Amino acid sequence: SQQGEEDPQALSIQEGENATMNCSYKTSINNLQWYRQNSGRGLVHLILIRSNEREKHSGRLRVTLDTSKKSSSLLITASRAADTASYFCGTGANNLFFGTGTRLTVIP
Amino acid sequence: EAGVAQSPRYKIIEKRQSVAFWCNPISGHATLYWYQQILGQGPKLLIQFQNNGVVDDSQLPKDRFSAERLKGVDSTLKIQPAKLEDSAVYLCASSLGQSGYTFGSGTRLTVV
């Protein structure tokens, strides 16, 4: 399978806490991308990390990539109720394959 | 910058009928993708175009699904005949080079 697999499947936290979700993959990648999907909407691109990068930041998001372990993590700091969504990692060489996602619920 | 446009937003058809979805990508984006997302699952790639040529259609059920991208801009995805298991959201996305993908809001198809 070329797709990434997100873990955990579901995560529920209080507003203000940090949320960490993980992605594992099996094949070689050029880059790994994280997306957010609100209910009934399309996916929104959050961050792209290239295979030669180890860590990347964007606002409250921090992504790490360990190509030796074929894994990545997405950290959302100081979570807000508006962060409630499903999060997917996209992996692949020339196109993106997605897992089933992590459903994050942030409780106000 | 305008986003990826898709229509219709919703579609309900009976099994064995035909249906078509339309996508207009972001201007200048050479690569266009169609994904199928069944409820509770992640998006599954159906087909990838580079300009008007097919790059990857290995997961497209070609006995009933077809797609085209005439002139390398707009694209249509067709299902003929539809089955109950085709009920899903069909997402179109576009990208430029190795950048992130921009997704449309999708077409929710219900086959009854």
Side-chain angles (χ1 to χ4, degrees):
Chain A
S1 171
Q2 300 182 57
Q3 65 194 38
E5 289 295 339
E6 299 86 355
D7 169 68
Q9 288 189 336
L11 181 60
S12 184
I13 60 174
Q14 294 291 132
E15 198 166 34
E17 293 181 338
N18 296 341
T20 299
M21 50 206 88
N22 304 295
C23 170
S24 60
Y25 59 93
K26 295 180 180 178
T27 61
S28 298
I29 59 171
N30 292 327
N31 59 66
L32 184 146
Q33 303 181 32
W34 284 92
Y35 289 79
R36 182 188 75 232
Q37 185 177 38
N38 291 93
S39 181
R41 308 294 296 177
L43 279 70
V44 174
H45 179 255
L46 295 176
I47 198 164
L48 180 155
I49 185 165
R50 303 191 188 285
S51 58
N52 61 352
E53 296 177 310
R54 292 297 167 260
E55 187 171 313
K56 203 161 183 180
H57 297 255
S58 176
R60 294 184 295 113
L61 306 180
R62 172 178 171 256
V63 168
T64 62
L65 178 64
D66 187 334
T67 53
S68 66
K69 295 181 180 179
K70 290 186 167 57
S71 67
S72 173
S73 67
L74 170 66
L75 169 68
I76 303 174
T77 60
S79 64
R80 306 167 181 169
D83 295 328
T84 294
S86 292
Y87 291 81
F88 296 90
C89 68
T91 61
N94 299 309
N95 41 39
L96 293 184
F97 295 87
F98 298 92
T100 54
T102 292
R103 182 164 185 80
L104 173 66
T105 302
V106 181
I107 303 167
Chain B
E1 175 182 79
V4 174
Q6 288 190 248
S7 68
R9 189 75 174 91
Y10 303 94
K11 189 73 176 179
I12 301 174
I13 62 172
E14 295 183 348
K15 59 184 178 183
R16 291 188 290 274
Q17 284 188 323
S18 302
V19 65
F21 314 125
W22 173 82
C23 172
N24 180 242
I26 289 178
S27 178
H29 280 194
T31 312
L32 184 149
Y33 315 82
W34 283 101
Y35 283 84
Q36 177 195 59
Q37 187 174 23
I38 293 171
L39 186 64
Q41 299 182 18
K44 170 189 168 185
L45 179 67
L46 293 176
I47 189 167
Q48 175 187 356
F49 291 96
Q50 180 76 17
N51 296 309
N52 61 349
V54 175
V55 174
D56 185 349
D57 64 356
S58 57
Q59 298 191 92
L60 186 73
K62 299 179 186 64
D63 57 334
R64 298 184 301 106
F65 286 64
S66 65
E68 60 181 9
R69 191 183 184 196
L70 298 176
K71 301 180 182 179
V73 181
D74 293 5
S75 177
T76 57
L77 176 69
K78 297 178 181 178
I79 307 175
Q80 180 180 9
K83 293 185 175 181
L84 296 177
E85 58 260 36
D86 298 333
S87 293
V89 175
Y90 290 84
L91 296 164
C92 179
S94 68
S95 69
L96 182 64
Q98 291 284 314
S99 66
Y101 294 10
T102 301
F103 281 82
S105 295
T107 295
R108 183 177 296 277
L109 173 68
T110 302
V111 182
V112 297

